[in-house]
Amino acid sequence: FNKWMLQLRLGFSVLVYGLGSKKALLEDFRVAHLSQEIHLVVNGFFPSITLKAILNSLTCEVLEHEGSFRTPSDQIQFIAQTLKGNPGLRVFLLIHNIDGQMLRGEKTQSALGQLASLPNLHLVASIDHINAPLVWDQFKQSQFNWLWWECVTFQHYAEETSYENSLLVQQTGALALSSLTHVLRSLTPNARGIFRLLVKFQLENKDNPSYTGLSFQDFYQRCREAFLVNSDLTLRTQLTEFRDHKLIRTRKGADGVEYLNVAVDANTLMDFLENEKDE
Amino acid sequence: GCFVFKPSAKKKKKTLDLESYFTDGCEDARSSELRFELCQDLWDQIKTETEILQDELNRKVLDSLLEFTKKCSSIRHHSDWTSQMRASEIPTAALILGVNVTDHDMTFQSLSELLQTSVTPHVVSVQAKECGALKHLMKKVLERLMDTVVAVVDDDDDDEVEEETEQHHRSVHCSLTTLCDWYSKKTKKSSSGTPGKKRSSLVVNEQQEPPVVIIFKDLEAFNPRVLQDFILVCSRYVQRLPLMFIFGIATAPSTIQHMLPHSVSSLLCIELFQSLSCSQHLTTVIEKLILTHSFPFKLNGKVMQVLVGIFLYHDFSVKNFIKGLQLALLEHFYSQPLSVLCCRKEKALLNLKHLRHDDLERVRQLPSFRRFVEKQEIEEQEKLRTDDSHLKNVCQKLMKDLHKYHKCYYPILRCLHTLTSSLPRYPLGKQIRELHLNCLEKNVWEAEEYQSAVNLLKMLAKDELISLLQKCAEILQPIRSTQMKSACVQLEELLSKFQQLDAPATDQSTASEENFTSPVKNLPKKTDLFQLQKTLLESRRSRKKSPFEALRNEALDFIDTLVKSHLSPPESQPLYEVCYYSSSAAVRRHLNATPRTSIQAALSSPYHYLQNESLKSDDGTVSNSAPDICIAYKLHLECGRLINLYDWLEAYSTVVSAAEGTDPDSDGIGKVDEVKHARFIRAVAELEFLGFIKSTKQKTDHVARLTWGGC
């Protein structure tokens, strides 16, 4: 770490690569060495991070400048001028995953490069993606002035992947049980009853290969009998809400009638019903 | 996702300064301070020298550019007929720079400074990324023009009020018309003479109407539409506004034709300027920085090779080469405690006196010093091992020798270079750096290339050889005079030889015709008989050797011995570690890393990093106690382009359950399976995060591989 500090002060930027999460490592570095300095931590894996947020936090909080800028380039110029006029001020910028989803853009990287080329702003970053170096062309590389350090930690990417919608869930389009219960908890009792009706019907017919779903008319009848709805319209709005939450799927049958399906696999539905009973 | 930490005011101690980071890692504070100072000094030296070099190298191009601008601005007012003819033409200088984009900044910097001091105060440079649209380009140009002028003119030319208004130009008002008005106002204001006097004399005109120079730093990156529009607009105003463009082109002049249609490029009056090629540039940098004895820090052959390799095969950028040099310097001073001796001779001897016991122990540990000790007498060995003061004395001598060695090495290297660089097929390399590398790696005279070079030299014609030798003499002459006290007496010998050589050469030119008829008579007295006899015996041909050939051989032999005595690689010198930085692997790792290789190595053979004995396995097999992600990765390598997730999961759980040693059919399988499933999902998510796979819509429950190989 001492070496890092030395290299940073001499105008290099430290870049950490390797397998495993480097977050803890950088955090250690931060606690050990940067506690005395002004520094900024950016989580590149955070899916809603933008360049604007980084620059704004730089200008507002670090430089304590009120006011907005029209374009990021103006902002960068302002930062550069302030730092040039203030050589004693040193800012350390820690970027976890500089190759993150939101920071991959060419504009963002060139802005960061401009920042990194400032003499009293020091950059420490980590990369994970195997093709991360493709982001930088020669000019940016020279701006960043990277020194590469290999750090293979084998730590799990807990925080980084928590934002990644795991493809196992996405792929099947299946909703996890937890999300299902969360959605239904926020609904009225009647709506929950409607959904439960539909689920029961689907589970009864789950071994029937020719089953295409429940037609809307049938479903309306059943709901009327269970005193869950009082008109065609209310049921339709209710179903629209379900559809928006991707809980049900409608399909036009061969006879032009709408068939309703719950878009969750049977096991999850079983679990769901059991949970409901427990409550 | 963005968090600012500010040190609280209470905890604000004195922040550590740069030096303390340097010294933190070492136990001996005083010597490290010294070393740090040395390091800083050397680095500053490198920096200043390279900047000076840059300026020198660019001098020619820049001067020609200056000429061009002056000429253009004067032509405008010179004769009204030509100016009317070329009314709407903008003079343009196309500067062909190399592909090393990283070095261009300095060039442009010095260019704009030069222009500002000598020709015109109005210089703007724009970069492509600032100008996505015409509006931005205009705005940038105007803002900078006004700003530069305001910045440059600190005299009484500008009213305070004016400055205010200029700086608060809103982009809405930014049009060329305002620029024209502003410009005419400025020139009028600064004009000292009356308006009637205008256009009378050239000098006044130049003062009054300096051209407005716009530098496009990277022409290739500009949007062609924007550029075309800008040029069109500017050409309309060229009457009222003396504009000039300078294009920085990285590739070739044909790009102008590619980017601009004929209608636009006809508005430009283009003149080409060629800048220096980067390999020449590098050669001069290496000559000045590395191949001098005045600069104490040296690189060994491997490190040089890494740096030059990066230069030649990757980026052609001198700036990056300097950066590598800086890194090597830093590492050397950081890691090697004896680097305190890496400085000028007097200072090194001084530092040597202050060495402590443990430092001297380190000296004894040095492999080169050990070799030196083993050659000594027994008593001497004992003394060196135990007696510190004696060791210091010996070290002094050794350091002096090292400096002497450097002093002799480089001139001789240059000599050899002049001799061999003109040979056909360049057996020893064309550039001096190649020769230097050759010499650093091994004994150069053992190499085949050197042998072939010598054989070629033996076949040289007379006048060629003489001219070459004269060149060598010229190289050695100034060095002999500039060096305070050159330890090489041999230089003088060599020089005298050369002088002699010229004299008989003239004699022989007349004598050579008679050589066939009267062999021995016409020999000049200077070559002794013995030498001649030897050559006669040697020659198996019927034709007798001219004495010139004998001399030639002699000279070559002499050079040969010279090479052998002085060009031995530095490893042969004791205490060479002090000045030579030799960890090429570290430099390569930090400058030219390969993250992908490292990730793949970690995934395929985790044993390499984790040092866990149980992980040791042959290549291509999966040890089942490896981390989850490694198992998942291995299994994904065994598939084709599309991977079925379910099969993948099955395979994974098989491996993992085998690792846990549980029978797959035992109870609790459900529970374990859930945990396994979660672990698998995590591993797959990590793989996706690393970019090995991506979800695909082609088939359900499949992922697509993004990498090749495996199977």
Side-chain angles (χ1 to χ4, degrees):
Chain A
F1 283 165
N2 270 317
K3 219 171 189 176
W4 280 16
M5 281 310 268
L6 179 67
Q7 284 167 351
L8 284 174
R9 299 294 307 275
L10 286 176
F12 292 107
S13 304
V14 171
L15 185 69
V16 193
Y17 66 96
L19 180 67
S21 169
K22 268 84 63 185
K23 199 165 182 317
L25 184 89
L26 290 187
E27 203 58 24
D28 285 351
F29 173 67
R30 188 179 77 72
V31 170
H33 279 277
L34 297 184
S35 51
Q36 305 300 326
E37 312 266 3
I38 295 176
H39 56 281
L40 186 71
V41 177
V42 178
N43 292 333
F45 49 82
F46 193 66
S48 58
I49 185 136
T50 55
L51 175 67
K52 209 173 161 68
I54 299 174
L55 292 177
N56 278 341
S57 53
L58 256 178
T59 46
C60 299
E61 302 188 37
V62 176
L63 306 176
E64 286 159 355
H65 167 84
E66 298 299 320
S68 57
F69 300 89
R70 249 174 290 130
T71 59
S73 61
D74 288 350
Q75 209 162 354
I76 290 171
Q77 265 183 348
F78 169 80
I79 292 171
Q81 276 168 1
T82 334
L83 286 180
K84 268 190 190 123
N86 206 342
L89 181 73
R90 286 199 303 273
V91 181
F92 286 81
L93 189 57
L94 237 87
I95 304 186
H96 300 292
N97 291 89
I98 199 166
D99 54 341
Q101 285 286 359
M102 298 305 292
L103 302 181
R104 269 176 213 179
E106 213 257 336
K107 282 210 168 104
T108 315
Q109 289 291 345
S110 71
L112 288 176
Q114 280 180 39
L115 286 180
S117 59
L118 296 176
N120 43 3
L121 191 138
H122 309 292
L123 185 66
V124 183
S126 66
I127 58 168
D128 283 306
H129 201 279
I130 45 173
N131 297 327
L134 299 182
V135 173
W136 302 305
D137 57 11
Q138 260 195 46
F139 185 66
K140 291 196 195 73
Q141 292 244 24
S142 77
Q143 276 189 325
F144 277 117
N145 211 353
W146 290 124
L147 275 192
W148 301 74
W149 288 83
E150 185 176 28
C151 302
V152 178
T153 59
F154 279 102
Q155 282 170 353
H156 288 292
Y157 291 107
E159 286 187 65
E160 288 90 331
T161 47
S162 62
Y163 297 110
E164 293 255 342
N165 275 326
S166 172
L167 71 182
L168 290 186
V169 179
Q170 240 184 357
Q171 274 290 305
T172 53
L175 283 161
L177 175 65
S178 60
S179 55
L180 196 98
T181 44
H182 274 300
V183 171
L184 287 170
R185 285 238 177 91
S186 60
L187 292 178
T188 58
N190 273 356
R192 249 181 282 173
I194 292 171
F195 189 71
R196 206 179 312 141
L197 258 181
L198 189 59
V199 170
K200 270 186 186 152
F201 188 76
Q202 187 163 336
L203 285 181
E204 281 162 21
N205 289 313
K206 77 174 174 183
D207 300 329
N208 180 5
S210 62
Y211 168 75
T212 52
L214 190 56
S215 73
F216 181 76
Q217 287 305 328
D218 284 357
F219 192 40
Y220 180 54
Q221 280 299 332
R222 282 161 194 264
C223 291
R224 287 277 304 264
E225 283 160 17
F227 294 111
L228 291 171
V229 292
N230 55 0
S231 75
D232 197 336
L233 202 64
T234 44
L235 180 61
R236 278 214 184 271
T237 50
Q238 205 47 260
L239 288 182
T240 315
E241 185 166 1
F242 288 151
R243 200 176 303 132
D244 290 346
H245 282 294
K246 293 202 176 120
L247 294 180
I248 59 167
R249 223 184 276 150
T250 54
R251 202 183 288 157
K252 281 266 195 317
D255 46 0
V257 185
E258 273 187 277
Y259 287 105
L260 302 174
N261 251 321
V262 182
V264 186
D265 56 352
N267 295 335
T268 324
L269 289 183
M270 295 263 220
D271 294 340
F272 165 71
L273 282 183
E274 276 166 23
N275 282 351
E276 289 278 285
K277 276 188 197 123
D278 291 347
E279 288 167 16
Chain B
C2 208
F3 310 102
V4 179
F5 294 89
K6 283 186 142 183
S8 57
K10 277 181 287 178
K11 269 174 51 177
K12 245 191 175 158
K13 287 187 301 190
K14 185 178 76 71
T15 51
L16 294 172
D17 53 347
L18 188 48
E19 198 169 321
S20 54
Y21 290 122
F22 192 88
T23 53
D24 262 9
C26 340
E27 64 280 0
D28 183 359
R30 222 189 87 263
S31 78
S32 56
E33 272 171 38
L34 254 176
R35 268 158 43 196
F36 178 72
E37 273 171 37
L38 283 176
C39 184
Q40 289 293 80
D41 287 350
L42 283 181
W43 172 234
D44 291 342
Q45 196 182 332
I46 291 183
K47 247 166 120 168
T48 48
E49 290 222 355
T50 44
E51 276 162 20
I52 291 166
L53 270 179
Q54 274 267 17
D55 278 355
E56 276 176 16
L57 292 174
N58 289 328
R59 179 74 45 210
K60 227 172 73 185
V61 182
L62 296 185
D63 283 349
S64 56
L65 265 173
L66 276 182
E67 282 298 308
F68 174 72
T69 49
K70 279 176 182 160
K71 196 179 70 194
C72 283
S73 59
S74 61
I75 269 185
R76 277 183 50 84
H77 323 294
H78 188 54
S79 62
D80 20 15
W81 185 73
T82 46
S83 64
Q84 268 169 16
M85 278 295 290
R86 329 175 102 209
S88 57
E89 281 202 359
I90 308 171
T92 306
L95 195 56
I96 312 287
L97 302 151
V99 282
N100 44 342
V101 191
T102 41
D103 303 341
H104 297 343
D105 272 354
M106 281 174 86
T107 316
F108 283 123
Q109 190 79 34
S110 45
L111 174 66
S112 55
E113 275 168 16
L114 260 177
L115 286 174
Q116 279 189 343
T117 49
S118 58
V119 184
T120 163
H122 315 292
V123 181
V124 209
S125 52
V126 278
Q127 282 186 323
K129 62 166 176 280
E130 297 161 340
C131 323
L134 187 61
K135 197 174 71 178
H136 297 295
L137 180 58
M138 281 287 181
K139 188 179 136 198
K140 278 275 179 302
V141 168
L142 292 210
E143 275 178 2
R144 284 187 193 171
L145 261 180
M146 316 261 183
D147 269 3
T148 49
V149 173
V150 170
V152 168
V153 182
D154 292 334
D155 317 334
D156 46 352
D157 285 5
D158 275 346
D159 293 347
E160 290 295 313
V161 190
E162 277 236 334
E163 274 187 49
E164 291 291 306
T165 51
E166 276 169 10
Q167 283 189 335
H168 291 299
H169 255 283
R170 304 233 65 84
S171 60
V172 187
H173 303 305
C174 273
S175 72
L176 270 181
T177 329
T178 49
L179 183 66
C180 283
D181 297 345
W182 165 84
Y183 181 79
S184 55
K185 211 187 292 176
K186 270 210 77 67
T187 46
K188 272 198 188 113
K189 276 186 63 163
S190 59
S191 74
S192 49
T194 55
K197 239 183 160 184
K198 255 191 179 180
R199 301 183 185 249
S200 55
S201 77
L202 254 174
V203 190
V204 176
N205 266 332
E206 264 192 58
Q207 282 174 353
Q208 278 178 350
E209 297 209 356
V212 175
V213 182
I214 302 175
I215 302 177
F216 295 92
K217 279 188 179 173
D218 34 6
L219 189 76
E220 279 86 354
F222 270 93
N223 184 351
R225 289 244 36 129
V226 173
L227 201 61
Q228 288 163 29
D229 292 346
F230 186 71
I231 291 172
L232 280 173
V233 172
C234 285
S235 67
R236 292 268 173 264
Y237 283 91
V238 102
Q239 301 282 3
R240 297 158 57 194
L241 198 64
L243 282 164
M244 262 202 59
F245 293 156
I246 296 177
F247 292 151
I249 300 174
T251 47
S254 57
T255 46
I256 299 183
Q257 274 112 36
H258 285 303
M259 283 185 68
L260 306 175
H262 187 74
S263 57
V264 176
S265 56
S266 61
L267 296 173
L268 301 174
C269 153
I270 299 177
E271 197 165 325
L272 283 182
F273 293 92
Q274 185 78 36
S275 78
L276 202 69
S277 81
C278 50
S279 58
Q280 275 175 305
H281 190 162
L282 179 78
T283 309
T284 40
V285 166
I286 287 184
E287 277 220 22
K288 283 277 181 315
L289 283 183
I290 296 170
L291 300 181
T292 58
H293 67 268
S294 57
F295 193 71
F297 171 72
K298 306 266 181 278
L299 296 173
N300 92 336
K302 284 212 177 88
V303 182
M304 270 291 282
Q305 219 157 6
V306 167
L307 289 180
V308 173
I310 288 176
F311 175 85
L312 287 179
Y313 299 115
H314 291 276
D315 54 7
F316 286 120
S317 137
V318 178
K319 202 170 163 188
N320 282 352
F321 182 83
I322 301 288
K323 173 184 154 188
L325 192 64
Q326 182 190 4
L327 177 73
L329 183 81
L330 181 65
E331 288 277 314
H332 175 71
F333 276 97
Y334 190 86
S335 57
Q336 170 70 273
L338 288 172
S339 61
V340 68
L341 299 177
C342 177
C343 48
R344 298 215 172 258
K345 191 158 73 177
E346 297 77 22
K347 205 165 174 212
L349 297 181
L350 193 73
N351 288 340
L352 195 64
K353 286 202 179 80
H354 294 303
L355 279 188
R356 300 179 193 189
H357 178 72
D358 42 5
D359 288 328
L360 289 171
E361 281 302 318
R362 279 199 199 98
V363 172
R364 288 179 185 126
Q365 295 298 322
L366 289 181
S368 67
F369 188 76
R370 277 198 198 154
R371 280 199 294 273
F372 169 76
V373 168
E374 278 157 18
K375 288 175 195 156
Q376 305 294 328
E377 304 285 319
I378 301 287
E379 302 138 38
E380 183 74 5
Q381 282 192 24
E382 277 304 308
K383 258 185 153 180
L384 284 174
R385 288 212 177 105
T386 51
D387 185 2
D388 279 1
S389 58
H390 181 69
L391 179 70
K392 273 187 189 177
N393 291 335
V394 173
C395 280
Q396 277 197 4
K397 196 170 77 59
L398 287 178
M399 287 303 292
K400 277 180 190 163
D401 285 348
L402 193 64
H403 280 273
K404 264 185 206 161
Y405 160 77
H406 282 155
K407 268 184 198 170
C408 300
Y409 176 92
Y410 292 110
I412 304 285
L413 186 76
R414 290 218 170 87
C415 275
L416 188 62
H417 177 65
T418 45
L419 283 178
T420 54
S421 60
S422 56
L423 291 176
R425 286 187 298 121
Y426 310 111
L428 278 171
K430 202 171 174 179
Q431 307 272 15
I432 193 161
R433 59 164 187 264
E434 299 168 42
L435 189 62
H436 181 57
L437 282 179
N438 271 330
C439 292
L440 286 176
E441 269 170 41
K442 51 185 181 287
N443 286 342
V444 77
W445 56 89
E446 287 167 5
E448 286 174 32
E449 296 93 359
Y450 181 78
Q451 288 307 328
S452 63
V454 169
N455 290 337
L456 282 170
L457 278 174
K458 278 181 182 160
M459 288 182 246
L460 270 184
K462 178 168 51 178
D463 43 0
E464 276 184 49
L465 182 71
I466 287 177
S467 67
L468 278 180
L469 288 180
Q470 266 163 350
K471 265 189 210 159
C472 282
E474 277 163 26
I475 290 175
L476 294 183
Q477 202 103 45
I479 287 172
R480 207 177 57 91
S481 53
T482 50
Q483 279 183 9
M484 300 73 67
K485 40 179 199 290
S486 167
C488 310
V489 188
Q490 283 164 312
L491 293 193
E492 292 191 16
E493 281 179 37
L494 194 58
L495 283 178
S496 62
K497 274 255 194 283
F498 289 161
Q499 258 99 55
Q500 279 175 24
L501 211 146
D502 289 348
T506 50
D507 288 353
Q508 277 166 26
S509 55
T510 57
S512 57
E513 297 155 18
E514 304 163 27
N515 246 344
F516 292 107
T517 51
S518 55
V520 197
K521 261 188 227 170
N522 287 346
L523 279 183
K525 300 266 186 299
K526 279 171 185 166
T527 53
D528 55 337
L529 211 69
F530 171 72
Q531 191 75 36
L532 178 69
Q533 272 184 335
K534 208 169 76 173
T535 50
L536 281 174
L537 284 174
E538 273 177 9
S539 68
R540 299 198 170 175
R541 287 167 290 175
S542 55
R543 194 173 66 84
K544 296 193 169 50
K545 274 202 178 185
S546 67
F548 162 70
E549 288 182 12
L551 252 178
R552 180 168 69 182
N553 281 338
E554 198 183 347
L556 283 177
D557 283 345
F558 181 73
I559 284 174
D560 209 31
T561 50
L562 210 61
V563 167
K564 282 191 185 171
S565 59
H566 292 302
L567 288 190
S568 54
E571 273 75 3
S572 58
Q573 306 289 321
L575 286 189
Y576 79 95
E577 285 96 339
V578 169
C579 291
Y580 281 84
Y581 176 71
S582 57
S583 162
S584 58
V587 173
R588 189 191 293 269
R589 257 210 319 273
H590 290 317
L591 285 183
N592 200 3
T594 47
R596 183 162 174 175
T597 330
S598 118
I599 286 176
Q600 290 194 328
L603 282 176
S604 50
S605 56
Y607 168 74
H608 188 66
Y609 291 98
L610 292 181
Q611 307 297 335
N612 186 347
E613 279 303 322
S614 62
L615 290 182
K616 209 165 182 175
S617 62
D618 300 333
D619 241 8
T621 59
V622 191
S623 149
N624 48 22
S625 58
D628 296 340
I629 188 169
C630 302
I631 297 171
Y633 170 77
K634 267 278 191 280
L635 291 171
H636 115 280
L637 278 186
E638 290 161 10
C639 308
R641 212 183 69 78
L642 286 179
I643 306 167
N644 184 337
L645 271 175
Y646 186 73
D647 297 348
W648 195 7
L649 171 62
E650 286 292 296
Y652 172 83
S653 63
T654 317
V655 172
V656 174
S657 52
E660 284 165 357
T662 53
D663 192 25
D665 304 328
S666 65
D667 291 345
I669 180 79
K671 200 73 196 149
V672 174
D673 226 1
E674 272 189 8
V675 173
K676 270 186 216 152
H677 193 164
R679 274 168 58 186
F680 174 69
I681 288 176
R682 185 173 65 181
V684 170
E686 284 172 2
L687 278 182
E688 187 185 14
F689 178 72
L690 289 174
F692 281 99
I693 51 176
K694 79 172 177 31
S695 57
T696 175
K697 297 271 183 288
Q698 292 176 13
K699 280 183 183 174
T700 49
D701 290 359
H702 277 67
V703 289
R705 276 179 60 183
L706 298 174
T707 52
W708 285 275
C711 301

